[in-house]
Amino acid sequence: MTNLALFASGSGSNYEAIQRYVTEGKIAANIRLVVTDRVDAFVIQRAKKYDIPVLALSPKAFETKEAYEQAILAELKKYDIDWLILAGYMRLIGPVLLGAYADHIVNIHPSLLPSFPGKDAIGQALAHGVKVTGVTVHYVDEGMDTGRIIQQRAVEVVEGDREQTEAAIHAMEHILYPEVLQNLFNS
Ligand code: GAR
């Protein structure tokens, strides 16, 4: 079966949505490792609940981004990881991981790309006054949210209400990401 590493920087609600599908046997893959760049990220608590090993490395502890990614890569090899699943990992993937996992890295982004790439996509959408935004799952390349799009879903903006818009986007993410992974791995 395919071995996955989930990458997250924060709450990890997308990680947990995917983990539930995997635990219930609905995605034909194993989550072998959770990787985070923040040693205090809540995703660590979530992974513990499911007995999934966590690699928590602060990039600041390394002299270069290359050294940081080499340390991650060494661990990915130990766990025989086939695919990297980015779920709220707030860092650009560098040449070390891109080289090792070409076409085997996917990401979720809270907008209809190519609109609103980068940070605070929901804030960008609200600031522009768009009426419809959404969620995109895409392959990762060297750019910022520029890789080939796999799947998208629209979400209506709740005007002037960031909290409700965010909740609607998260709810959509928790359905869309597991679905995409089913399509990728359940053949
Ligand atoms: C999600 O909304 C995800 O789309 C976004 O971070 C959030 C993480 O939530 N990712 C990006 O903005 C990437 N550019 P979570 O930690 O609860 O899964």
Side-chain angles (χ1 to χ4, degrees):
M1 212 154 31
T2 310
N3 290 331
L4 312 179
L6 266 286
F7 281 54
S9 300
S11 158
S13 71
N14 278 283
Y15 153 69
E16 190 157 1
I18 295 165
Q19 179 68 66
R20 284 210 196 98
Y21 271 69
V22 167
T23 302
E24 290 168 13
K26 294 182 189 161
I27 295 174
N30 306 304
I31 298 179
R32 302 282 315 268
L33 184 66
V34 166
V35 177
T36 183
D37 57 333
R38 296 190 54 134
V39 295
D40 59 348
F42 187 65
V43 69
I44 297 170
Q45 313 305 321
R46 295 191 198 257
K48 279 187 182 154
K49 273 199 307 194
Y50 296 91
D51 277 331
I52 304 297
V54 174
L55 177 67
L57 291 179
S58 169
K60 287 190 197 125
F62 296 85
E63 286 210 343
T64 62
K65 179 164 182 158
E66 188 186 344
Y68 166 68
E69 288 202 343
Q70 288 290 0
I72 295 175
L73 183 57
E75 212 62 22
L76 297 175
K77 285 185 175 158
K78 272 191 215 160
Y79 284 93
D80 211 12
I81 299 298
D82 303 305
W83 282 76
L84 312 187
I85 312 299
L86 312 188
Y89 182 67
M90 297 304 184
R91 242 161 237 290
L92 211 52
I93 297 291
V96 170
L97 291 177
L98 277 174
Y101 286 93
D103 299 322
H104 285 65
I105 311 177
V106 293
N107 180 45
I108 190 159
H109 185 77
S111 77
L112 291 175
L113 290 172
S115 289
F116 312 134
K119 287 198 178 128
D120 192 20
I122 299 172
Q124 293 184 54
L126 288 167
H128 278 80
V130 298
K131 308 305 172 210
V132 176
T133 182
V135 175
T136 302
V137 179
H138 64 95
Y139 286 101
V140 172
D141 63 13
E142 62 287 345
M144 173 76 81
D145 302 320
T146 51
R148 190 161 58 84
I149 289 169
I150 302 171
Q151 193 56 266
Q152 292 185 307
R153 293 278 159 76
V155 173
E156 279 189 26
V157 170
V158 183
E159 274 194 62
D161 194 330
R162 185 182 171 117
E163 215 171 285
Q164 279 197 56
T165 303
E166 219 165 62
I169 285 182
H170 280 303
M172 182 62 83
E173 289 185 328
H174 298 163
I175 294 166
L176 183 66
Y177 215 175
E179 257 180 44
V180 168
L181 298 182
Q182 284 179 321
N183 288 335
L184 277 174
F185 303 125
N186 301 9
S187 50

